[in-house]
Amino acid sequence: MPSIKILIIDDSETDRYTYRRYLEQASPDYEVHEAPDRAAGLALAESLNPDCVLLDLRLKEESGREQSGYAVLRELIG
């Protein structure tokens, strides 16, 4: 059975760790990848073609300004 690729895009390291831990405990078939911001998340999504994306809807940009996760979602789905 092929693994299920899951991408976590979240600026909180604690949240990413928590999600990863739960997912890895839930199934050995989950291949979990993480991105700390919009740019890294979009790049990983393009290269991995994940089956599922867990997206923080209140991402912080490098400037510290909050960006809506909905904008990232629009970019993910094209």
Side-chain angles (χ1 to χ4, degrees):
M1 175 180 199
S3 62
I4 297 169
K5 291 182 275 186
I6 299 173
L7 173 59
I8 302 167
I9 305 174
D10 197 315
D11 55 357
S12 168
E13 186 175 350
T14 302
D15 289 351
R16 289 193 317 270
Y17 171 80
T18 301
Y19 301 144
R20 173 183 282 280
R21 193 180 78 218
Y22 284 135
L23 290 166
E24 288 175 343
Q25 289 174 358
S27 175
D29 295 328
Y30 293 156
E31 179 183 322
V32 182
H33 301 269
E34 299 177 26
D37 56 40
R38 172 195 160 278
L42 292 174
L44 274 175
E46 186 174 326
S47 67
L48 293 172
N49 193 25
D51 299 297
C52 176
V53 176
L54 299 178
L55 174 62
D56 179 1
L57 294 179
R58 292 176 38 195
L59 291 171
K60 298 263 191 261
E61 293 183 10
E62 288 180 11
S63 66
R65 193 185 72 168
E66 190 172 291
Q67 175 185 358
S68 169
Y70 292 108
V72 177
L73 179 59
R74 282 192 293 277
E75 291 182 70
L76 283 170
I77 62 175

